[in-house]
Amino acid sequence: MTGFIAAALSASLLAPMQPGPNAVGFKMVVEVDATRPALPPGTGDGRPIPIAIWYPAVKPSGTPMRLRDYIVAGDTARIGVPNADAGAPVAAFISDAQQRGVAASDLAALVETPVLARSDARPAAGRFPLVLFAHASVETESVTAEYLASYGYVVAGVRSRGAADVEYRLNRANLVAVTADLDVAATRMKREPDVRGGAIAVIGMSNGAIAAVALQLERQDIGAIVSLDGTIGENAGGVYLTERSGGDVGRFSAPILHLYTPDNDFLNLDYLRGFNASPRVLVAIPELRHRDFLAYAAFDHAVPQFSGAPFSERVQAGFVWVNRYALHFIDASLRGSRHGAAFLRTDPSAQGVPSGLMEIERPR
């Protein structure tokens, strides 16, 4: 690890992680889909699709960032245009946590926490595989996105919004809209000079995993899917995807890594186990809550009880290993990494995973 990366890491939210050798840049672009109408409060021709982008960068270049910058960018990703009051989304972030009993002084320190990425840093030389990140906010996907970018991936986050409203709710029309947004974002990202052609990966949090699997019906370049406690492991996702495939789930053939908590009243893995054309690895992590698959675990590490529960070393370890498994899975799927493939085949205990933290199933 270089001195530049180590210095940035020491105070960042990635402190419990082991990022790769690359510096990380961050920027946002807005792609407009002219085939669909604008979402309120926007006007004009077409549906704007904000894309948050993390990428391997030249070090040290760009402007240092703090968590507050991601919170502001996350608000832009939600409404489609920058908020005239840049302080409003940060105030809302703090107010929400205060309602859970978090001290204002702790929250003030949290939003000023340095992050690994630098805004508008110069892209590193070369072209890198693309990873889409579905159904998370910029701040909650940021830790995973920085981690992957540090290992040589371009990560493009697309926040879920409804078909006719910026607020997303689970229904068929909105799932179609989210899938279409991801399709447009993937096409846009492949025009970036630092993005290589070929297969891409999609990380889907919760309902984003449904859209990630469905995206295979629109694109032939989906080479890996990482489901973060995705609803593909529930009836809702299984029924929808079966319907959308016309009953032919053999059309879903991309490898799937499904990381999930079994503490879920709606859990039903039967559909996912039936996706026989897709190589699948199912990883149960009983001590994680739904939100712990995103950066909330890192926020809790910085500010104990940020998410409303006491800080847990086991939960923190679970989040770290979720990211490591995702990285090795994507490496194996997109780069043909033998090390990544061997990692996935090896018993977790042999990799140093704490005893009882994970249970792995490999359906045939």
Side-chain angles (χ1 to χ4, degrees):
M1 187 182 301
T2 68
F4 173 79
I5 296 292
L9 174 63
S10 63
S12 78
L13 292 167
L14 266 77
M17 314 278 275
Q18 295 176 333
N22 294 289
V24 177
F26 175 80
K27 66 179 182 179
M28 288 197 70
V29 301
V30 178
E31 184 71 358
V32 176
D33 182 359
T35 68
R36 292 182 289 168
L39 289 173
T43 59
D45 298 326
R47 176 184 174 102
I49 302 169
I51 308 170
I53 306 170
W54 291 262
Y55 54 92
V58 172
K59 53 181 184 276
S61 64
T63 303
M65 295 174 58
R66 299 180 182 275
L67 180 61
R68 68 162 49 248
D69 297 307
Y70 283 150
I71 296 168
V72 173
D75 190 62
T76 300
R78 183 181 68 85
I79 63 177
V81 295
N83 194 318
D85 180 4
V90 178
F93 178 90
I94 291 174
S95 175
D96 180 64
Q98 282 185 297
Q99 293 178 34
R100 297 191 294 273
V102 186
S105 57
D106 289 340
L107 293 167
L110 177 62
V111 300
E112 299 302 333
T113 300
V115 299
L116 187 61
R118 289 182 166 221
S119 65
D120 298 317
R122 295 196 306 277
R127 302 179 72 199
F128 305 94
L130 174 64
V131 179
L132 297 179
F133 204 131
H135 201 66
S137 64
V138 174
E139 66 272 19
T140 59
E141 69 197 1
S142 63
V143 173
T144 297
E146 287 184 342
Y147 180 69
L148 293 174
S150 77
Y151 280 98
Y153 290 94
V154 175
V155 182
V158 181
R159 184 160 180 161
S160 295
R161 294 178 295 161
D165 191 277
V166 295
E167 299 302 331
Y168 170 86
R169 297 172 183 82
L170 177 59
N171 60 47
R172 285 172 173 79
N174 287 350
L175 283 171
V176 170
V178 170
T179 304
D181 287 353
L182 291 173
D183 189 17
V184 171
T187 298
R188 166 65 175 80
M189 289 303 301
K190 284 207 166 181
R191 299 200 304 267
E192 291 285 307
D194 60 343
V195 173
R196 79 175 195 188
I200 67 177
V202 188
I203 300 174
M205 171 64 186
S206 192
N207 291 174
I210 302 177
V213 174
L215 191 60
Q216 295 173 85
L217 303 178
E218 312 300 328
R219 305 183 65 92
Q220 302 300 310
D221 57 358
I222 308 302
I225 293 168
V226 177
S227 165
L228 300 179
D229 206 28
T231 41
I232 58 173
E234 299 178 3
N235 279 329
V239 169
Y240 173 82
L241 289 168
T242 301
E243 291 177 354
R244 183 145 183 183
S245 70
D248 181 10
V249 296
R251 298 170 68 187
F252 304 132
S253 58
I256 296 174
L257 172 64
H258 179 58
L259 301 138
Y260 70 100
T261 175
D263 184 18
N264 178 354
D265 292 339
F266 302 99
L267 187 68
N268 180 358
L269 298 173
D270 290 344
Y271 288 99
L272 185 53
R273 291 183 177 123
F275 291 177
N276 293 325
S278 171
R280 286 140 296 144
V281 180
L282 280 53
V283 183
I285 313 173
E287 294 173 68
L288 295 194
R289 301 160 299 173
H290 186 62
R291 61 174 27 190
D292 294 326
F293 291 83
L294 292 173
Y296 293 102
F299 298 159
D300 280 337
H301 184 263
V303 177
Q305 297 193 343
F306 171 85
S307 61
F311 174 74
S312 164
E313 293 285 355
R314 298 274 292 183
V315 169
Q316 180 64 52
F319 177 67
V320 169
W321 283 100
V322 161
N323 283 277
R324 289 177 181 166
Y325 268 77
L327 173 64
H328 286 294
F329 177 77
I330 294 171
D331 276 348
S333 300
L334 298 194
R335 288 182 161 142
S337 167
R338 293 182 180 179
H339 174 73
F343 181 97
L344 294 165
R345 290 194 302 267
T346 305
D347 186 88
S349 61
Q351 302 289 0
V353 177
S355 177
L357 187 70
M358 290 180 164
E359 300 172 5
I360 294 185
E361 173 189 354
R362 299 176 177 84
R364 296 186 181 275

